[in-house]
Structure formats: C-alpha cells, structure tokens
Amino acid sequence: MNQELELVEAIDKLSGLTQTFQTQLLSGDLKEYTLRQLYYIELINKHQVIGVSEIAKMLDVQKSTVSIAINQLIDRGIITKVQSNTDKRFYFLELTPKGKDIMKTHMKVHRDAIKQILKILDKEEVDIFIKIVNKITASKL
Amino acid sequence: MNQELELVEAIDKLSGLTQTFQTQLLSGDLKEYTLRQLYYIELINKHQVIGVSEIAKMLDVQKSTVSIAINQLIDRGIITKVQSNTDKRFYFLELTPKGKDIMKTHMKVHRDAIKQILKILDKEEVDIFIKIVNKITASKL
DNA sequence: TATAATAGTTAGTTAGATAAAACTATATAT
DNA sequence: ATATATAGTTTTATCTAACTAACTATTATA
C-alpha cells in the first residue's frame, strides 16, 4: 500500500483515539464540565497573570463571551477574580482550591493515558515517537 | 528529562496541532458547516447503506437529534433520502452533488495536511510513525 | 482637562446540539 | 389477527457558545 494512504489511515485512527479520550474525559469525574470550561481552567492555571480580555484574544472570541463563561465558573466556586491595585479595571483570574482540584484531576487523566501508552511501547519507540512529533510541530505546519 | 514528561509535552503539542487543523478546516471553504455536520456527511459518504437510527447508535445520541440534523442538511441540499422499496420505514441517506463536493473539499484539506507531513519526515520516519500509531490504536487503549 | 482607549459587564439574540415524549407508518412474530 | 418492535418525525424544551451593541469604570493621552 502507498505511504500516503497508510498515513491517512494512521491519522484517522489517531483522531478517533483523541475523540475516545475526550469522551472519557467528559464522563468520569469531570462530567460536570464542558471541554471549553476545562480549557478556561487550564489557561488560568498556566498563566499567573491573565484577565478576560487576554483569554478572549487567545481564543479569538468576544470579551462578552469570555466574561459570561468566567462569571459562571466564579458562581460555581471554581475561579476567583481579584481586582488589581495598580489598574482598577483589571481583574486577576485565579483558581480556587476547587478549581485546582479539577485541574489536578484533568492532568491525572492525561497522565494515566500516557502511562498506558508507555506500557504498550518500548523506550526506543517512545523516543522516536517524541522526536517525530517534535519534528512535525516544530515546522509550524 | 524523563520520558513520561516528554511524552506529555509531545501529546500536548499534537493536540494543539489537531486544534489548529480544526480551526483551519472550519474557516476556508467549509466555514458554513459545523464539525458535527461534516461528520454526518462523512458517515453517509463512508456507508453505502445508512439511516437515521444507525447514525444515532454510532454517535450514541437520540434518533430525534439525528433526524433534525439530517433534515436540516436535506433542506440545505446536501443530503437526500430515498425510501427503501423493501422496507418502507427505511430511508437511504445519500449525498447530493453538493454534499459530494463538500466531502471532496474536506478530504483535500486532509490530504494537503498529510502531504506537508510527508515533506517534513523522511520515508523511514513515516513508516515508524505509522507502525507506532497502529500499535497504540490496536491495543484498544 | 477633555477625549481616547481599555477592562470588564449586561441585555438581548441566535445557532447548534441535545433530550423526552408522543406520534405515524410499516414490519415482524406469536 | 393482534401485539410488539422498528424507522423516522414532530413538538417542546434545555443548554452551550457565540454574537452585537450599549454600558460603567478606569486609565492614558493629546
């Protein structure tokens, strides 16, 4: 079989796997949250200083969209906002302990999936896989 | 750095790439359609004989959900339904020429992405990549 | 100081995806 | 022949994610 076709199939399988993974993520302990919400939580976890406008720019959506979503997560006790002293217009978005727990659970799901992959592949294969993925992503495809 | 961490990062990058790919897919020529709609089209394209109930089972959603979505695509001239002669309850779902065009565009986007990957990697790397992906997906992770 | 820009909110709207329940029409099985 | 199952539809309703436009409060600038 030609290489291009095989690669098409491999990538199809990979995207099927991603979908299965997402489905698993959204059942289990994180079923109360949408992917979007988990992503907001992830962004806030990753950036020490972040506000509504920056998130909106990152996601390329309107500020109002983000504002509403974030305030819902605040109402649910997952995020807090702290007004900046130096610029009263700005609010630092932070995770509450509950938000940090969600983040931990999310990361654990990731880690568990990766542990399973590590069981299936031998060390050399993992190295090559990492190298290839890095090569692909480095090229800003 | 330990292998697990590197794999975590590689997979993060890969999922970032997937997201970029999706964003590109949903701008460009296919911006009038949602991912879900493209998936309905893909399923109908892939299966010569398929009806509403089967799609519902595949996606694990209610028949009513699929019925509404499919009828919207029929209204937009993308799908047709043809009543079966041997079982009058059943409707064969098929792509119209417009639907087939959408499918072609969709596949072209895929093929183009894969061609870019083929440019970046050498033949041996592609082979290994395919082998590893197959190993992972074969294991029903 | 008056005006611009920025950060975030609020009100109102829309599209899409989903569900439950009641329904029609048809086919199958006892 | 009657009862049950199946294929698909319709109605009603909910939720998410997004939009625009108008708004407040604050900061920066000319």
Side-chain angles (χ1 to χ4, degrees):
Chain A
M1 203 203 293
N2 102 52
Q3 235 191 357
E4 186 177 328
L5 260 180
E6 279 187 275
L7 190 54
V8 169
E9 278 183 21
I11 287 175
D12 273 359
K13 282 181 200 165
L14 211 52
S15 89
L17 201 67
T18 318
Q19 219 169 308
T20 308
F21 181 71
Q22 263 182 25
T23 308
Q24 278 173 10
L25 187 68
L26 300 179
S27 17
D29 293 332
L30 297 172
K31 71 160 133 279
E32 300 164 63
Y33 311 104
T34 65
L35 259 195
R36 210 38 157 185
Q37 288 170 333
L38 292 176
Y39 196 46
Y40 285 122
I41 293 167
E42 211 176 315
L43 282 178
I44 292 168
N45 182 252
K46 192 148 34 182
H47 299 86
Q48 291 83 344
V49 175
I50 196 165
V52 165
S53 293
E54 272 165 276
I55 294 178
K57 266 178 218 152
M58 285 176 188
L59 300 182
D60 193 28
V61 297
Q62 295 297 314
K63 285 188 303 179
S64 57
T65 302
V66 178
S67 177
I68 291 164
I70 293 296
N71 282 312
Q72 278 169 359
L73 292 173
I74 289 171
D75 291 344
R76 290 173 69 180
I78 293 156
I79 294 173
T80 43
K81 58 182 172 189
V82 180
Q83 194 172 26
S84 162
N85 286 320
T86 57
D87 182 347
K88 297 281 189 186
R89 293 170 304 177
F90 187 88
Y91 293 81
F92 297 97
L93 299 176
E94 287 163 20
L95 297 185
T96 63
K98 187 175 171 187
K100 282 177 193 160
D101 280 350
I102 293 167
M103 197 60 226
K104 267 182 213 160
T105 306
H106 190 164
M107 289 195 297
K108 189 182 174 335
V109 175
H110 269 258
R111 262 204 322 279
D112 287 352
I114 278 156
K115 270 179 199 156
Q116 281 186 279
I117 293 176
L118 286 172
K119 261 187 242 165
I120 294 160
L121 304 177
D122 55 54
K123 277 186 199 257
E124 211 193 325
E125 286 172 321
V126 174
D127 271 340
I128 297 169
F129 184 73
I130 291 168
K131 214 172 284 172
I132 292 175
V133 170
N134 284 334
K135 201 167 168 184
I136 294 172
T137 54
S139 73
K140 304 188 243 71
L141 195 93
Chain B
M1 203 203 296
N2 100 51
Q3 231 191 2
E4 187 178 325
L5 261 180
E6 279 187 277
L7 190 55
V8 169
E9 278 183 20
I11 287 174
D12 273 359
K13 283 181 199 164
L14 209 53
S15 89
L17 200 67
T18 319
Q19 220 170 306
T20 308
F21 181 73
Q22 263 182 25
T23 309
Q24 279 174 8
L25 187 69
L26 299 180
S27 18
D29 294 332
L30 296 172
K31 70 161 134 281
E32 300 164 63
Y33 312 102
T34 64
L35 260 193
R36 207 43 154 180
Q37 287 168 337
L38 291 176
Y39 196 46
Y40 284 123
I41 293 168
E42 210 177 316
L43 282 179
I44 291 169
N45 182 254
K46 192 149 31 181
H47 300 87
Q48 291 83 343
V49 175
I50 195 165
V52 166
S53 294
E54 270 164 278
I55 295 179
K57 266 178 220 155
M58 284 176 189
L59 300 182
D60 193 27
V61 296
Q62 294 298 313
K63 285 188 303 179
S64 58
T65 300
V66 178
S67 177
I68 290 164
I70 293 297
N71 282 312
Q72 277 168 359
L73 292 173
I74 289 171
D75 290 345
R76 291 174 67 181
I78 293 156
I79 294 174
T80 43
K81 59 182 173 189
V82 179
Q83 191 170 29
S84 162
N85 286 321
T86 55
D87 182 346
K88 297 281 189 183
R89 292 170 306 175
F90 187 88
Y91 292 81
F92 297 96
L93 298 176
E94 286 164 21
L95 297 184
T96 63
K98 186 175 173 189
K100 281 178 194 159
D101 279 351
I102 293 167
M103 198 59 227
K104 267 183 213 159
T105 307
H106 190 165
M107 289 197 296
K108 189 182 174 338
V109 176
H110 268 259
R111 261 205 322 279
D112 288 352
I114 278 156
K115 269 180 198 153
Q116 281 186 275
I117 293 176
L118 286 172
K119 260 187 242 164
I120 294 159
L121 303 178
D122 56 53
K123 276 187 198 258
E124 210 194 327
E125 286 173 321
V126 174
D127 270 342
I128 297 169
F129 184 73
I130 291 168
K131 214 173 285 172
I132 292 175
V133 170
N134 283 334
K135 201 167 169 186
I136 294 172
T137 54
S139 74
K140 305 190 243 73
L141 195 94

